[in-house]
Amino acid sequence: MSTAHGARARARIEVTAAIKDEARRQLAAEGAARLSLRAVARELGMVSSALYRYFPSRDDLLTALIIDAYDSLGGTAEAAHEAAAGSGPLQRWIAVCEAVRRWALDHPHEYALIYGSPVPGYTAPDTTVPPAARVGLLLFAIIRDAYRGLGLARPSLPADLRPEAERMAADLAPDLPPETVAALVAAWAQLFGLVGFELFGQFNRVVKDRETFFRHTAGQLAHGVGLVYPQPGPASKSPGSQTPSE
């Protein structure tokens, strides 16, 4: 790579980062629905035509911000999981859930972008799906490890839900029981609902010690999926074995 070409590449990276930073400031001040390429260009001292060479439309910029937010959240959750690698699955589950909460509290506007109200007129492209799945895949991995090692209790499953649970299992995790997959999808949704309630003010005048409440509820979600053995956990069992609830 020539020196001139390398300098241009570095300059493009720097300008792209500056555009995103200014867009995030606008998200915090105005919300995603009012994000404007012209306003971003104006604040950066750029002409609009120059900014369009980096992001051809508002939707392209929104997509970049959404992917960055999902990747930041996913990376934070994965780092927490790695830090708890020597712990049992229940402890790793709680560590990941707490990392999701901490990230949301530290990045409220980015959390609102990915888990708040949809942006009018914007449809997220397929490129946002892999980053969005990182936390969910991590929770699936924890449950899969437990199923193959310490074992899981089987959640109850109504007969009328079994066809849907079997479909979800076939699509998401064919190596896990349908009961487990259905419970895990519900827990994944409940985790982000719990975080959203705290972040968006629904817990005001309701929950005061939110950290303790969250940790307890994260444990309850884990129990609902089948991680019901006492801490630090029973001796390892054969793959797929069940353990009694506490």
Side-chain angles (χ1 to χ4, degrees):
M1 178 183 294
S2 69
T3 302
H5 184 75
R8 285 196 297 271
R10 288 193 298 272
R12 184 173 185 85
I13 291 171
E14 291 172 359
V15 174
T16 299
I19 292 170
K20 289 180 178 179
D21 287 344
E22 177 56 35
R24 292 187 187 100
R25 282 190 287 270
Q26 287 197 16
L27 289 180
E30 304 288 346
R34 300 188 64 180
L35 181 64
S36 163
L37 288 182
R38 290 183 179 275
V40 170
R42 183 174 60 251
E43 291 298 322
L44 294 176
M46 300 173 62
V47 296
S48 299
S49 58
L51 191 146
Y52 292 143
R53 292 199 293 267
Y54 294 85
F55 296 99
S57 71
R58 181 210 67 163
D59 285 4
D60 290 311
L61 179 53
L62 270 176
T63 296
L65 297 176
I66 287 168
I67 290 174
D68 283 355
Y70 277 131
D71 278 335
S72 178
L73 172 59
T76 298
E78 289 160 5
H81 181 258
E82 184 176 350
S87 303
L90 179 57
Q91 293 90 337
R92 285 185 282 138
W93 172 283
I94 292 175
V96 168
C97 292
E98 290 184 323
V100 169
R101 175 179 178 265
R102 286 195 304 272
W103 185 90
L105 294 177
D106 289 342
H107 303 84
H109 304 294
E110 291 172 77
Y111 186 89
L113 176 64
I114 55 179
Y115 288 110
S117 300
V119 180
Y122 173 79
T123 300
D126 290 343
T127 52
T128 62
V129 174
R134 288 174 67 170
V135 173
L137 291 176
L138 192 55
L139 296 177
F140 268 89
I142 293 170
I143 296 303
R144 185 175 288 110
D145 287 348
Y147 181 64
R148 294 172 177 172
L150 295 175
L152 292 170
R154 295 285 183 93
S156 61
L157 185 69
D160 59 350
L161 182 57
R162 179 162 293 277
E164 176 63 8
E166 291 175 347
R167 183 201 63 76
M168 287 192 291
D171 288 346
L172 300 173
D175 55 333
L176 292 177
E179 298 92 335
T180 300
V181 174
L184 184 48
V185 170
W188 183 15
Q190 290 163 2
L191 167 62
F192 287 102
L194 182 65
V195 172
F197 258 51
E198 179 174 359
L199 193 64
F200 301 138
Q202 280 87 353
F203 281 159
N204 291 348
R205 300 184 181 181
V206 177
V207 180
K208 291 186 177 179
D209 187 353
R210 294 174 185 176
E211 185 173 353
T212 301
F213 180 79
F214 181 89
R215 183 176 179 83
H216 168 75
T217 306
Q220 293 300 107
L221 293 178
H223 279 57
V225 177
L227 298 177
V228 297
Y229 33 80
Q231 297 188 38
S236 297
K237 299 184 178 184
S238 59
S241 61
Q242 294 188 20
T243 56
S245 60
E246 296 179 345

